[in-house]
Amino acid sequence: MESAQPSIFSRIVAGEIPADIVYDGERIIAFRDIAPKAPVHLLVVPKTEQYRDVTELAAGDPALLAEIVSVAKRLAAEAGGDFRLVFNTGAGAGQTVFHVHAHVLSAGPGGSLEEGSLAD
């Protein structure tokens, strides 16, 4: 089911919707989540909406997936170190925007995200 409308992430990339952008590269943008689940909660998003989820991205452009992981690692290091990198794949797994994106979650410097600490 293809949407005729651009995703919210494409609209952020286009500057139509404001975001707290922390990284803006040639193929990737990263910004703070508007409903954070951890002290540091960033979204790392490819600028193309060609891929709905991480499995499509891995099959179609593994180099772009590697770039997402690299950017996530760098941003997490800047935010304080240890982090979780989460890709929700499918509505049943909590994916609400079908434009592949990674969640970078961290407790920040000296903090810790205990197992189960991110449950709603």
Side-chain angles (χ1 to χ4, degrees):
M1 210 181 318
E2 294 297 317
S3 171
Q5 299 297 319
S7 74
I8 190 169
F9 296 153
S10 289
R11 295 181 67 203
I12 289 170
V13 168
E16 297 172 13
I17 296 176
D20 185 357
I21 297 170
V22 296
Y23 176 86
D24 191 358
E26 184 179 325
R27 300 199 316 154
I28 294 174
I29 192 168
F31 46 90
R32 298 188 191 286
D33 194 297
I34 61 169
K37 303 292 186 200
V40 176
H41 187 168
L42 307 174
L43 299 175
V44 182
V45 181
K47 291 183 175 181
T48 177
E49 71 180 306
Q50 179 178 355
Y51 306 103
R52 290 174 47 87
D53 61 46
V54 69
T55 61
E56 287 185 8
L57 177 60
D61 192 344
L64 182 55
L65 176 56
E67 192 175 339
I68 288 171
V69 173
S70 177
V71 168
K73 179 182 176 184
R74 186 170 87 204
L75 293 174
E78 291 171 5
D82 293 343
F83 66 102
R84 291 184 189 173
L85 185 61
V86 178
F87 290 89
N88 298 329
T89 304
Q95 185 176 4
T96 57
V97 178
F98 293 90
H99 176 146
V100 65
H101 59 286
H103 295 261
V104 178
L105 302 146
S106 174
S112 175
L113 294 178
E114 298 301 322
E115 194 66 35
S117 65
L118 300 178
D120 286 337

